[in-house]
Amino acid sequence: MSQQSIDLRGVSKSFGATRVLEDIDLSVKEGEFLSLVGMSGCGKSTLLRIIAGLEAPDRGSVFIGAADVTARDPSDRNLAMVFQSYALYPHMSVRQNIATPLRMRILTLPARLPLLGRLLAPTAVLAQIDTDVSKAAETLQITHLLDRKPGQLSGGQRQRVALARALVRQPAAFLMDEPLSNLDAKLRAHMRDELAALHRRLGATFIYVTHDQTEAMTMSDRIALMIDGRIEQLGTPDDLYQRPATLAVARFIGSPTINLLPAEADGEGRVTIAGQSTSILARPGPLTVGIRPEDLETGDEGLAAEVLRVETHGPDRFLTCALPTDRSTVTLRQGASARPARGDMLKLRIPPERAHLFGSDGQRVPARITGRVAA
Amino acid sequence: MTDAALTPAAPARGAIALPRGLIFVAPAVLLMLAIYILPIVVLTGFSITDYRLGALRWEFVGLQNFRAAFQDPVFVRALANTALYAVLVIPTGVFLALGIALLVQGRRHSRALWETAYFLPVTATLVAMATVWQFLLHPTLGPVNAAITWAGFDPVSFLGNPALLIPTLALIGIWQVLGFNMVLFLAGLTAIPNDLLDAARMDGARSPIDRFLTVTWPMLGPTTMFVIVTTSISAFKVFETVAVLTKGRSGSETLLYALYLEGFEYSNTGYAAALTLIFLAIVLVLSIGQTLRMDRRVHY
């Protein structure tokens, strides 16, 4: 059964003087697709390796289902892992690669030896292994590659072999460490679909490490965004995009990146953004306002901005505009029908209900819009 | 440039390229000729004559020298001794080095120390070291025998007992090749991606033996092949220890020592040339055989 929950309780890890993970609590539900996202060095891979058992936490525990597996060897955790390098055994054929997890678990050491093994291994067991390998190969459509060596395969094919090797023995959960980052852009998009489809079909628990927010946003049920060894926000892709809990999350998620403008709430809580008064109310003090490029509106009044650059992306145009007030720039996302040109002067309006407010500590600040409650 | 413009220029370029190419390969070709090919041709010439060093005339004797070699008890004995020496040195020198490399690789802080310790014999002059071994193994003065008698056994005459001569030389031979082989294996071990070992652990390779058999040993294939070939060649070339420690007494001649005696002590140049050719043939057949046999299995 490929459906087990995974719980991390108070996991910390340091390498020498460097703290890599700080007191991580995380519950992955049965059958969930959870992504660990963050910049390189944020500790996401280390966290995955701790779940796998390849790395031991300094403090805290790892649970698979109800069992505390913190002290268990990786081979006893019944997890499968797909590596960024695929880590296929180069001296084995694809068939042998996929069979390895089964042979390791089912056959004794003498029965796995090259010549002696053929005499010792029960025929029925070998036949079962063969059947399972064929089934896994069929699932990933690599039956025609079974007798090749990994060296003769393309990147995408190796990726499939690595997946087949992971799913051949129905593990408690699948751990994936940047499995798509060695593929070219087109193949990556294709494999994204396939991975998501595979997840739906198997109904298995997936923990997926990536630095690519698109991968995380498109495939995950939930995303844990990690920054400096902590989970900055845990939620659905929509949560992270629509309601970033901190400034750091807002900055990380979204492409092009969110626009950030200095703001201030006066004694009565009325918020002024870049000198323009708004209908937003928040607790008094300095603020940073985040506004997604697609949420900025143009109109007859608002922030004056000059178009510096127009990037055409087929369906969209991204406009980079300079704000004369403080010489910062904002990005604006418009449909292809808009025909702005470099040097045009625009008036930008920030829809109050689409503005994200953050305090000087980087935490999200609750806001109200005069007359009604906003995000 | 268009194709039409290129076409007439092409033959001219080819004509220039040939002499220029020859100039580039000339140094290597000349060196090969001078150092390897000519000496072998001259050697082959000598091997079918009865030339003695310094003699004014010689005669063509055909394959007489080769026939004589295989009826010569000294040469046959040298052949047998070398075979025994190789059988002792090659497997031990290779697999012990692999074992040590695996142990040394696991050390974090003391790794450099162990590497140096095992590598030192490679840098030392074997002739000088042979003298040290002579002292170490001395029946009355040597610390090895002191330890043996302390443990309650009779002292062993390593360099006196004819049956022990070749095994003793083999022991020194192993000591000599161990460090170099270990360094080669360490390099091979470093090249194994950690991901593969991690993957093996995830796949259920719980014990280090399992991981060794699944990943380490197959991945070391090319290194192992190289180590076996070089160790074999150096085993067949054993000379210094024989020359210093036994001087071939009590029937302890090895191939190189036998042909050194014939060529330089007895001045039988023609005969020595024939022995050298036989030696070359043996080493060549072994190296080619090993390479062909193993090459197919170790490269992926």
Side-chain angles (χ1 to χ4, degrees):
Chain A
M1 49 167 195
S2 303
Q3 284 186 340
Q4 292 267 326
S5 60
I6 292 180
D7 282 280
L8 301 175
R9 300 191 191 154
V11 169
S12 296
K13 176 79 183 172
S14 302
F15 291 118
T18 321
R19 292 215 85 173
V20 185
L21 294 173
E22 247 180 277
D23 206 22
I24 302 272
D25 290 301
L26 179 66
S27 292
V28 186
K29 292 179 222 142
E30 296 161 18
E32 184 177 27
F33 194 128
L34 183 125
S35 292
L36 297 171
V37 192
M39 314 261 218
S40 55
C42 71
K44 56 191 191 299
S45 285
T46 309
L47 192 60
L48 194 75
R49 290 173 62 83
I50 286 176
I51 298 172
L54 297 170
E55 212 74 70
D58 296 339
R59 275 185 290 110
S61 5
V62 180
F63 288 80
I64 298 178
D68 183 347
V69 298
T70 317
R72 275 198 214 162
D73 193 78
S75 52
D76 294 337
R77 296 192 182 195
N78 193 25
L79 300 171
M81 188 152 167
V82 177
F83 295 81
Q84 181 176 357
S85 64
Y86 315 135
L88 300 176
Y89 309 117
H91 55 287
M92 295 183 191
S93 67
V94 168
R95 187 189 303 279
Q96 289 167 321
N97 261 288
I98 301 175
T100 300
L102 295 174
R103 292 173 60 86
M104 285 284 179
R105 282 188 160 68
I106 303 171
L107 299 176
T108 57
L109 177 59
R112 272 184 272 128
L113 294 176
L115 292 169
L116 192 62
R118 251 174 247 165
L119 303 173
L120 290 176
T123 328
V125 173
L126 290 183
Q128 183 57 47
I129 291 179
D130 256 1
T131 317
D132 290 350
V133 169
S134 307
K135 218 185 286 173
E138 262 168 49
T139 308
L140 287 146
Q141 297 150 29
I142 48 171
T143 310
H144 60 297
L145 303 175
L146 278 177
D147 293 313
R148 297 218 201 143
K149 291 267 174 80
Q152 300 164 294
L153 304 180
S154 69
Q157 290 171 331
R158 285 181 210 189
Q159 172 70 68
R160 285 164 189 276
V161 177
L163 282 169
R165 184 176 65 177
L167 63 82
V168 71
R169 68 187 158 82
Q170 280 136 24
F174 291 87
L175 310 179
M176 312 212 169
D177 191 359
E178 310 242 5
L180 304 184
S181 50
N182 283 357
L183 303 176
D184 63 58
K186 201 170 171 190
L187 195 54
R188 202 181 309 155
H190 177 69
M191 284 307 289
R192 235 167 34 209
D193 288 349
E194 287 216 13
L195 270 181
L198 192 67
H199 174 248
R200 278 196 302 276
R201 188 159 28 156
L202 298 174
T205 311
F206 275 46
I207 302 183
Y208 188 100
V209 163
T210 180
H211 65 273
D212 180 357
Q213 49 160 313
T214 318
E215 280 176 25
M217 297 288 281
T218 50
M219 293 189 286
S220 319
D221 296 322
R222 282 194 303 161
I223 296 176
L225 197 152
M226 293 185 65
I227 292 171
D228 290 337
R230 286 170 299 102
I231 293 181
E232 192 81 8
Q233 187 172 0
L234 174 66
T236 64
D238 275 341
D239 282 345
L240 266 70
Y241 192 77
Q242 310 289 358
R243 280 186 60 82
T246 66
L247 195 54
V249 175
R251 273 207 194 104
F252 188 90
I253 301 284
S255 172
T257 30
I258 195 166
N259 297 304
L260 297 173
L261 298 167
E264 172 102 39
D266 65 16
E268 287 163 38
R270 277 196 298 269
V271 175
T272 5
I273 301 174
Q276 303 270 317
S277 55
T278 64
S279 57
I280 307 172
L281 294 176
R283 70 154 198 245
L287 295 167
T288 303
V289 165
I291 177 88
R292 298 271 175 211
E294 65 273 23
D295 292 337
L296 270 175
E297 291 172 359
T298 53
D300 298 333
E301 54 185 69
L303 278 170
E306 182 190 350
V307 178
L308 288 185
R309 196 164 37 135
V310 181
E311 261 181 49
T312 308
H313 287 254
D316 300 317
R317 287 178 208 283
F318 296 157
L319 314 185
T320 310
C321 307
L323 298 179
T325 42
D326 59 349
R327 298 172 136 211
S328 58
T329 60
V330 293
T331 313
L332 192 61
R333 180 175 184 163
Q334 291 191 322
S337 55
R339 289 266 181 274
R342 199 165 160 262
D344 284 359
M345 289 304 293
L346 302 175
K347 295 276 187 195
L348 302 181
R349 204 181 76 83
I350 298 172
E353 67 282 2
R354 308 299 304 161
H356 307 277
L357 268 55
F358 303 98
S360 47
D361 56 353
Q363 297 297 313
R364 187 179 186 90
V365 171
R368 283 188 309 119
I369 296 165
T370 10
R372 56 190 167 119
V373 180
Chain B
M1 213 188 286
T2 62
D3 278 357
L6 261 175
T7 324
R13 270 181 56 193
I16 297 169
L18 185 64
R20 199 179 284 166
L22 286 178
I23 292 171
F24 275 109
V25 295
V29 170
L30 290 179
L31 271 177
M32 283 270 289
L33 280 174
I35 296 176
Y36 297 109
I37 312 293
L38 278 181
I40 290 179
V41 171
V42 172
L43 188 78
T44 316
F46 276 140
S47 72
I48 47 174
T49 67
D50 66 350
Y51 179 69
R52 296 172 58 88
L53 193 66
L56 295 175
R57 13 187 322 248
W58 63 85
E59 286 193 8
F60 178 72
V61 295
L63 295 178
Q64 181 56 42
N65 281 331
F66 294 93
R67 247 174 269 138
F70 289 102
Q71 281 151 14
D72 178 356
V74 175
F75 179 71
V76 172
R77 198 163 60 215
L79 213 57
N81 281 340
T82 310
L84 173 63
Y85 182 88
V87 164
L88 291 173
V89 169
I90 299 169
T92 326
V94 171
F95 290 103
L96 198 60
L98 173 60
I100 293 171
L102 288 169
L103 291 176
V104 168
Q105 199 210 14
R107 304 283 91 208
R108 276 213 194 131
H109 302 295
S110 55
R111 177 172 167 163
L113 175 79
W114 292 113
E115 278 178 17
T116 317
Y118 282 103
F119 196 71
L120 268 181
V122 183
T123 62
T125 318
L126 194 51
V127 175
M129 286 299 118
T131 322
V132 174
W133 275 101
Q134 196 167 26
F135 161 72
L136 287 175
L137 299 174
H138 195 278
T140 48
L141 304 173
V144 174
N145 267 309
I148 291 175
T149 40
W150 180 81
F153 296 99
D154 287 336
V156 181
S157 178
F158 290 102
L159 294 168
N161 182 348
L164 287 181
L165 280 176
I166 294 297
T168 304
L169 293 178
L171 190 74
I172 301 175
I174 292 166
W175 169 83
Q176 166 77 12
V177 295
L178 210 53
F180 189 58
N181 291 353
M182 177 203 70
V183 168
L184 291 174
F185 277 123
L186 274 177
L189 285 171
T190 316
I192 298 177
N194 274 329
D195 273 2
L196 275 185
L197 292 163
D198 287 344
R201 289 177 74 184
M202 298 301 295
D203 284 348
R206 169 197 254 289
S207 72
I209 297 172
D210 266 335
R211 290 199 286 278
F212 178 79
L213 291 177
T214 316
V215 175
T216 315
W217 178 239
M219 296 300 287
L220 279 179
T223 312
T224 311
M225 183 187 85
F226 182 74
V227 170
I228 290 177
V229 171
T230 51
T231 308
S232 312
I233 292 174
S234 70
F236 281 100
K237 285 196 330 197
V238 55
F239 176 77
E240 292 100 323
T241 43
V242 188
V244 175
L245 292 178
T246 75
K247 301 200 168 52
R249 89 186 116 76
S250 318
S252 64
E253 303 92 343
T254 58
L255 269 182
L256 270 200
Y257 193 73
L259 70 87
Y260 159 76
L261 284 183
E262 290 296 341
F264 299 95
E265 296 289 312
Y266 313 149
S267 301
N268 289 329
T269 310
Y271 184 53
L275 296 191
T276 310
L277 271 186
I278 296 173
F279 170 74
L280 265 181
I282 294 173
V283 172
L284 201 66
V285 166
L286 277 173
S287 325
I288 293 178
Q290 282 175 339
T291 313
L292 284 185
R293 216 179 109 67
M294 292 196 272
D295 213 26
R296 227 173 297 138
R297 295 215 211 140
V298 298
H299 289 290
Y300 315 114

